[in-house]
Amino acid sequence: MCGIVGYTGVQGASPILLEGLKKLEYRGYDSAGIALVNDGTISIAKVTGRIANLCEKTNDGKDYPGTTGIGHTRWATHGAPSDTNAHPHMSNDGRFAIVHNGIIENYMSLHDELTAKGYHFESETDTEVIVHLLEMYYKGDIRKAVIKTSARLQGSYALGVICADDPDKLYVAREASPLILGVGVGENFFASDVTALVSYTRNAIYLEDGEFAEISPEEIKVFDVALQPVNKKISRIVWDIQAAEKGGYEHFMLKEIMEQPRAFKATIAPRIKEGEIVLDETDLSKEYLESVNKIVITACGSAYYAGCAAKYTIEKLCRVPVITELASELRYADPLIDEHTLLIVLSQSGETADTIAAMKECKSRGAKTIAIVNVVGSTIAKLADHALYTWAGPEIAVATTKGYTTQLAVLYLFSLYTAKKIGSISDEEFNRLLTALKALPKKIQETIDTNSKIHQLAIKYYDNKSMFFIGRNTDYAIALEGALKMKEISYIHAESYAAGELKHGTIALIEEHRPVVALCYNEKIMEKTLSNIVEVKARGADVLALTYKGNHQIVSVANDVIYVPKVDTLFSAAVEIIPLQMLAYYVAKLNECDIDKPKNLAKSVTVE
Ligand code: G6P
């Protein structure tokens, strides 16, 4: 939630800040602002709405000179989206300006304390307390003021500060919110994530919780709370610039859908060596895996649904019970977890607040944790005992696509790896499934190539207020993700239901021409799902069935059929989801929705 960026160097800071904010806009986009130090004073521009409005207001930054500055794009938590609530916020004496990503939980008491001391508040934000604390603690030493201020804050923050008294410097602090420092030559940067940095530098420093930095054009000094210097490693950013651009596609979401064959391959290929699966990043020994009596998978949103789909694969291959639990529920559930539980945490961003909290809770009860994460160096990756990265590259569209399929890729690898180690499948079965897994990138490509008619189906179905998605077992798990895609980007009410459960209530909502997307991939339970299709058809529904190529049984019962290649049912989620992503995309497009930045959503949900 919210993106922050900072620059100090020899170039005009404003255009660099605006470019950076454009890259970070997926993190929040209800208002934005920049602050520059110039000639010993701070000037601020803030607007409601998108970065494009800020570019217009500032004349693409030209009207805001200065070589040091900070910027912010907001996803509102405290206080409605408005010019006043937009960041940066300024101290009453005009000396400090700050940008903040996170939530200050004790802001009410700080607000009361500061008001009693005479500080005047402009906004309704939690953030504003920070800038007044800085003014209060500033006695000529900015570092000390930042440290004293941070010590008063409860909650999460990535904080960027400029001060009129020290015009070439940026000050940053971090606690439970992402913050990366970009190391340049004669110029330095900070940002919420690397997408804002890659156009300028590939050298990065990942700040840890509780660390502070003083950034000048020539150097970056990192300190701990006691103001002791901390030696930091400079890491190389591997994501390339093109990966963070649209590359000719109208939307990031479409580009990312198309990237799935490559992303899936990039995730599995390096981990398959000479007919074996190698998970070098973990130490999952045979003895340890045999001691595991339960696997718990936790995550939020699509990542959770990836876990729901893979549960069937893991249970089938490893014969270990898998419990899937939403992170926001698990964290407060007093879960039955001990050292015999293996916790798998899924997160594209690696920064989701509920997922982090659930993970900490389970760790404290003795579970070993594996994180399946896309963003290198993210909080979840660092907290986990082992991080298995999904090599999907940057995902910019708020609605995840390649993030989801690459999470499946790692979970499939994990299932086969574990099954082989504990001997729950034969070598022959392992080899057969490994071959099937290696073929999946091609099958995903084939799914994309043969589904040009999805656009036609979208034309038929887009003008609807409500849709249902049904299936059984894995098909049900995929229905959950298919419905989520539809609602998050097209704003159509889309409800997913276990097909067999329809008759216990939901079927009452089926009426003439209500679209029902029916997933019928699993041959073993095909007849059962077909019966459910017949039931909804009898009540007037228009059925859009999804099945494997060659299944002609379905033609007589469905209004329309989407065919995807036949793969092993254990891995079918990776192909079945593709047309559902495309359907959601085209339906949203026909409904003229803002596909990459759906209303009320943000990609990285760093608040509870
Ligand atoms: C948000 C995004 C979803 C994502 C979920 C979990 O809701 O809009 O696309 O699935 O967060 O995010 P994570 O980064 O933890 O996978």
Side-chain angles (χ1 to χ4, degrees):
M1 314 310 233
C2 304
I4 65 171
V5 62
Y7 173 82
T8 181
V10 286
Q11 306 185 56
S14 298
I16 294 171
L17 297 174
L18 291 170
E19 274 313 302
L21 289 178
K22 281 183 201 159
K23 300 276 165 39
L24 295 173
E25 205 173 12
Y26 71 91
R27 300 179 66 87
Y29 34 83
D30 56 49
S31 49
I34 51 172
L36 282 297
V37 205
N38 193 33
D39 280 343
T41 58
I42 292 177
S43 48
I44 294 187
K46 317 204 263 191
V47 290
T48 309
R50 302 287 164 91
I51 309 301
N53 303 0
L54 187 61
C55 292
E56 202 180 310
K57 175 162 183 163
T58 60
N59 187 17
D60 287 327
K62 291 185 204 83
D63 293 351
Y64 285 77
T67 55
T68 301
I70 52 180
H72 187 271
T73 180
R74 181 168 186 246
W75 186 88
T77 55
H78 298 67
S82 68
D83 291 4
T84 326
N85 288 333
H87 301 208
H89 293 287
M90 187 146 24
S91 57
N92 289 166
D93 62 4
R95 199 176 252 141
F96 289 98
I98 61 156
V99 286
H100 165 225
N101 170 33
I103 286 189
I104 304 305
E105 287 161 4
N106 59 334
Y107 83 102
M108 293 282 264
S109 60
L110 292 171
H111 182 285
D112 292 349
E113 176 188 329
L114 288 157
T115 310
K117 288 187 170 136
Y119 290 93
H120 164 71
F121 280 78
E122 296 269 337
S123 75
E124 302 155 281
T125 64
D126 53 331
T127 298
E128 203 183 331
V129 296
I130 305 172
V131 78
H132 300 316
L133 285 172
L134 279 170
E135 181 180 333
M136 184 169 91
Y137 287 124
Y138 181 60
K139 305 277 181 281
D141 184 333
I142 305 170
R143 285 186 204 170
K144 278 190 185 153
V146 173
I147 295 219
K148 279 187 176 162
T149 297
S150 303
R152 298 293 313 278
L153 306 176
Q154 286 163 21
S156 57
Y157 51 85
L159 196 62
V161 179
I162 50 173
C163 178
D165 290 356
D166 204 353
D168 292 335
K169 293 212 181 89
L170 304 166
Y171 293 84
V172 295
R174 173 197 157 136
E175 185 64 46
S177 286
L179 189 63
I180 295 153
L181 313 183
V183 185
V185 177
E187 56 184 5
N188 287 309
F189 311 77
F190 72 77
S192 299
D193 79 42
V194 296
T195 53
L197 301 176
V198 279
S199 312
Y200 306 103
T201 178
R202 287 175 175 283
N203 294 327
I205 293 174
Y206 293 91
L207 217 60
E208 302 288 329
D209 283 350
E211 288 179 345
F212 305 83
E214 182 185 280
I215 306 170
S216 67
E218 296 77 31
E219 63 176 335
I220 294 178
K221 292 178 183 162
V222 179
F223 303 95
D224 64 14
V225 268
L227 267 176
Q228 291 306 305
V230 181
N231 263 334
K232 299 293 288 186
K233 185 175 113 218
I234 296 182
S235 309
R236 196 78 189 138
I237 301 171
V238 288
W239 286 355
D240 60 23
I241 302 169
Q242 285 78 17
E245 307 280 350
K246 276 191 211 151
Y249 288 98
E250 195 177 346
H251 296 98
F252 277 111
M253 183 177 177
L254 187 59
K255 176 184 174 245
E256 288 159 6
I257 288 173
M258 299 303 174
E259 283 173 349
Q260 290 178 105
R262 188 199 52 71
F264 200 98
K265 191 170 179 186
T267 302
I268 59 166
R271 292 166 170 141
I272 302 174
K273 289 177 193 150
E274 294 163 11
E276 293 297 330
I277 294 172
V278 183
L279 299 181
D280 280 343
E281 308 97 318
T282 66
D283 68 350
L284 299 173
S285 64
K286 181 174 183 320
E287 296 65 42
Y288 168 71
L289 289 169
E290 279 171 348
S291 75
V292 171
N293 61 17
K294 177 169 62 181
I295 294 174
V296 173
I297 300 182
T298 196
C300 299
S302 297
Y304 171 68
Y305 292 146
C308 293
K311 164 190 163 80
Y312 296 95
T313 313
I314 302 173
E315 285 190 337
K316 176 85 182 155
L317 295 180
C318 308
R319 310 312 293 162
V320 179
V322 177
I323 294 159
T324 50
E325 186 71 272
L326 288 164
S328 52
E329 288 293 308
L330 185 66
R331 62 184 293 186
Y332 297 119
D334 193 6
L336 294 170
I337 278 172
D338 58 25
E339 67 279 12
H340 298 295
T341 309
L342 172 60
L343 181 80
I344 301 181
V345 178
L346 302 170
S347 177
Q348 186 284 127
S349 64
E351 301 294 346
T352 304
D354 282 321
T355 310
I356 293 169
M359 186 177 181
K360 285 182 176 164
E361 181 62 41
C362 296
K363 272 191 93 166
S364 73
R365 289 166 192 243
K368 192 192 238 331
T369 52
I370 293 183
I372 299 177
V373 184
N374 193 38
V375 179
V376 175
S378 55
T379 305
I380 291 175
K382 285 194 283 196
L383 270 177
D385 294 311
H386 307 290
L388 287 168
Y389 286 108
T390 51
W391 297 113
E395 192 179 60
I396 309 292
V398 167
T400 181
T401 51
K402 61 177 180 171
Y404 170 88
T405 38
T406 52
Q407 283 162 355
L408 289 175
V410 178
L411 288 164
Y412 293 163
L413 283 167
F414 168 83
S415 324
L416 276 176
Y417 174 90
T418 304
K420 175 94 189 265
K421 278 247 153 144
I422 63 175
S424 55
I425 55 170
S426 65
D427 285 357
E428 198 187 354
E429 183 65 348
F430 175 84
N431 292 338
R432 185 185 74 75
L433 288 169
L434 189 62
T435 307
L437 181 61
K438 284 199 283 190
L440 275 180
K442 269 203 182 119
K443 300 285 181 188
I444 297 172
Q445 187 62 58
E446 201 180 316
T447 311
I448 294 173
D449 295 343
T450 55
N451 274 292
S452 52
K453 78 169 199 180
I454 297 284
H455 187 229
Q456 297 307 318
L457 292 174
I459 293 173
K460 182 166 170 187
Y461 290 106
Y462 83 96
D463 192 13
N464 264 287
K465 288 214 158 27
S466 172
M467 283 188 189
F468 291 87
F469 287 68
I470 61 168
R472 288 170 183 261
N473 293 175
T474 326
D475 284 342
Y476 170 47
I478 303 157
L480 291 163
E481 171 61 4
L484 179 64
K485 285 279 102 36
M486 185 62 75
K487 56 192 150 191
E488 61 184 343
I489 61 166
S490 72
Y491 318 140
I492 290 174
H493 164 247
E495 195 164 330
S496 41
Y497 238 75
E501 191 65 14
L502 275 173
K503 55 187 167 297
H504 298 291
T506 309
I507 203 160
L509 300 172
I510 301 296
E511 53 190 27
E512 205 60 27
H513 297 308
R514 177 66 55 228
V516 175
V517 179
L519 286 86
C520 293
Y521 199 92
N522 190 339
E523 268 173 295
K524 288 198 184 127
I525 42 178
M526 179 71 57
E527 296 298 333
K528 303 289 171 196
T529 314
L530 283 175
S531 309
N532 301 127
I533 294 182
V534 173
E535 285 160 14
V536 291
K537 279 245 11 190
R539 277 133 189 112
D542 287 343
V543 174
L544 172 48
L546 186 150
T547 190
Y548 55 86
K549 270 186 197 147
N551 176 15
H552 300 300
Q553 250 181 312
I554 213 141
V555 179
S556 56
V557 288
N559 298 68
D560 293 287
V561 184
I562 297 172
Y563 287 106
V564 296
K566 187 132 176 52
V567 301
D568 195 291
T569 312
L570 292 172
F571 303 144
S572 68
V575 289
E576 286 185 75
I577 195 59
I578 308 290
L580 301 185
Q581 296 168 342
M582 292 164 81
L583 183 68
Y585 173 81
Y586 287 116
V587 166
K589 196 171 163 200
L590 288 160
N591 281 306
E592 295 177 9
C593 299
D594 193 345
I595 294 178
D596 286 337
K597 300 186 188 85
K599 67 179 179 200
N600 303 338
L601 301 184
K603 186 147 193 75
S604 183
V605 184
T606 51
V607 297
E608 184 174 352

